[in-house]
mmCIF file of all heavy atoms in Angstrom:
data_model
loop_
_atom_site.group_PDB
_atom_site.id
_atom_site.type_symbol
_atom_site.label_atom_id
_atom_site.label_comp_id
_atom_site.label_asym_id
_atom_site.label_seq_id
_atom_site.Cartn_x
_atom_site.Cartn_y
_atom_site.Cartn_z
ATOM 1 N N GLY A 312 -0.395 15.283 -84.104
ATOM 2 C CA GLY A 312 0.706 15.798 -84.964
ATOM 3 C C GLY A 312 0.266 16.168 -86.414
ATOM 4 O O GLY A 312 1.021 16.783 -87.216
ATOM 5 N N THR A 313 -0.935 15.662 -86.762
ATOM 6 C CA THR A 313 -1.421 15.790 -88.097
ATOM 7 C C THR A 313 -2.193 17.150 -88.242
ATOM 8 O O THR A 313 -2.482 17.769 -87.144
ATOM 9 C CB THR A 313 -2.351 14.658 -88.522
ATOM 10 O OG1 THR A 313 -3.550 14.759 -87.641
ATOM 11 C CG2 THR A 313 -1.620 13.343 -88.333
ATOM 12 N N ALA A 314 -2.367 17.638 -89.430
ATOM 13 C CA ALA A 314 -3.057 18.934 -89.658
ATOM 14 C C ALA A 314 -4.521 18.744 -89.129
ATOM 15 O O ALA A 314 -5.051 19.742 -88.507
ATOM 16 C CB ALA A 314 -3.000 19.317 -91.094
ATOM 17 N N VAL A 315 -5.214 17.607 -89.341
ATOM 18 C CA VAL A 315 -6.512 17.410 -89.028
ATOM 19 C C VAL A 315 -6.681 17.546 -87.486
ATOM 20 O O VAL A 315 -7.508 18.160 -86.903
ATOM 21 C CB VAL A 315 -7.106 16.066 -89.540
ATOM 22 C CG1 VAL A 315 -8.406 15.751 -88.943
ATOM 23 C CG2 VAL A 315 -7.112 16.144 -91.137
ATOM 24 N N TYR A 316 -5.732 16.804 -86.701
ATOM 25 C CA TYR A 316 -5.775 16.909 -85.292
ATOM 26 C C TYR A 316 -5.659 18.302 -84.724
ATOM 27 O O TYR A 316 -6.443 18.623 -83.883
ATOM 28 C CB TYR A 316 -4.701 15.978 -84.789
ATOM 29 C CG TYR A 316 -4.592 15.808 -83.334
ATOM 30 C CD1 TYR A 316 -5.405 14.848 -82.587
ATOM 31 C CD2 TYR A 316 -3.701 16.535 -82.453
ATOM 32 C CE1 TYR A 316 -5.367 14.673 -81.260
ATOM 33 C CE2 TYR A 316 -3.566 16.238 -81.172
ATOM 34 C CZ TYR A 316 -4.299 15.407 -80.565
ATOM 35 O OH TYR A 316 -4.341 15.273 -79.178
ATOM 36 N N ALA A 317 -4.691 19.036 -85.318
ATOM 37 C CA ALA A 317 -4.427 20.342 -84.704
ATOM 38 C C ALA A 317 -5.618 21.260 -85.105
ATOM 39 O O ALA A 317 -5.988 22.188 -84.245
ATOM 40 C CB ALA A 317 -3.137 20.938 -85.429
ATOM 41 N N ALA A 318 -6.102 21.200 -86.275
ATOM 42 C CA ALA A 318 -7.252 21.970 -86.697
ATOM 43 C C ALA A 318 -8.515 21.814 -85.878
ATOM 44 O O ALA A 318 -9.358 22.743 -85.478
ATOM 45 C CB ALA A 318 -7.623 21.770 -88.226
ATOM 46 N N ALA A 319 -8.698 20.546 -85.409
ATOM 47 C CA ALA A 319 -9.964 20.281 -84.528
ATOM 48 C C ALA A 319 -9.829 20.978 -83.140
ATOM 49 O O ALA A 319 -10.730 21.590 -82.679
ATOM 50 C CB ALA A 319 -10.036 18.797 -84.349
ATOM 51 N N ARG A 320 -8.586 21.052 -82.748
ATOM 52 C CA ARG A 320 -8.288 21.743 -81.552
ATOM 53 C C ARG A 320 -8.341 23.273 -81.660
ATOM 54 O O ARG A 320 -8.934 23.922 -80.766
ATOM 55 C CB ARG A 320 -7.053 21.255 -80.895
ATOM 56 C CG ARG A 320 -7.104 19.865 -80.295
ATOM 57 C CD ARG A 320 -5.723 19.317 -79.696
ATOM 58 N NE ARG A 320 -5.812 18.103 -79.090
ATOM 59 C CZ ARG A 320 -6.079 18.027 -77.732
ATOM 60 N NH1 ARG A 320 -6.155 19.191 -77.031
ATOM 61 N NH2 ARG A 320 -6.044 16.834 -77.106
ATOM 62 N N ALA A 321 -7.784 23.642 -82.764
ATOM 63 C CA ALA A 321 -7.684 25.153 -83.061
ATOM 64 C C ALA A 321 -9.155 25.771 -83.235
ATOM 65 O O ALA A 321 -9.275 26.985 -82.976
ATOM 66 C CB ALA A 321 -6.990 25.370 -84.213
ATOM 67 N N ALA A 322 -10.041 25.016 -83.674
ATOM 68 C CA ALA A 322 -11.466 25.417 -83.784
ATOM 69 C C ALA A 322 -12.068 25.885 -82.495
ATOM 70 O O ALA A 322 -13.120 26.736 -82.515
ATOM 71 C CB ALA A 322 -12.270 24.414 -84.493
ATOM 72 N N LYS A 323 -11.486 25.472 -81.337
ATOM 73 C CA LYS A 323 -12.078 25.780 -80.039
ATOM 74 C C LYS A 323 -11.357 26.906 -79.381
ATOM 75 O O LYS A 323 -11.791 27.295 -78.315
ATOM 76 C CB LYS A 323 -12.091 24.559 -79.132
ATOM 77 C CG LYS A 323 -12.927 23.406 -79.566
ATOM 78 C CD LYS A 323 -12.703 22.169 -78.741
ATOM 79 C CE LYS A 323 -13.531 20.990 -79.234
ATOM 80 N NZ LYS A 323 -13.255 19.763 -78.434
ATOM 81 N N VAL A 324 -10.341 27.511 -80.069
ATOM 82 C CA VAL A 324 -9.461 28.452 -79.437
ATOM 83 C C VAL A 324 -10.115 29.831 -79.338
ATOM 84 O O VAL A 324 -10.651 30.304 -80.311
ATOM 85 C CB VAL A 324 -8.195 28.644 -80.137
ATOM 86 C CG1 VAL A 324 -7.389 29.735 -79.657
ATOM 87 C CG2 VAL A 324 -7.288 27.308 -79.975
ATOM 88 N N LYS A 325 -10.069 30.403 -78.148
ATOM 89 C CA LYS A 325 -10.555 31.741 -77.870
ATOM 90 C C LYS A 325 -9.594 32.710 -77.439
ATOM 91 O O LYS A 325 -9.765 33.932 -77.187
ATOM 92 C CB LYS A 325 -11.755 31.713 -76.956
ATOM 93 C CG LYS A 325 -13.021 30.878 -77.598
ATOM 94 C CD LYS A 325 -14.281 30.894 -76.677
ATOM 95 C CE LYS A 325 -15.385 30.142 -77.301
ATOM 96 N NZ LYS A 325 -16.444 30.074 -76.341
#
Side-chain angles (χ1 to χ4, degrees):
T313 65
V315 173
Y316 183 80
R320 288 176 169 272
K323 300 177 183 179
V324 169
K325 296 180 180 178

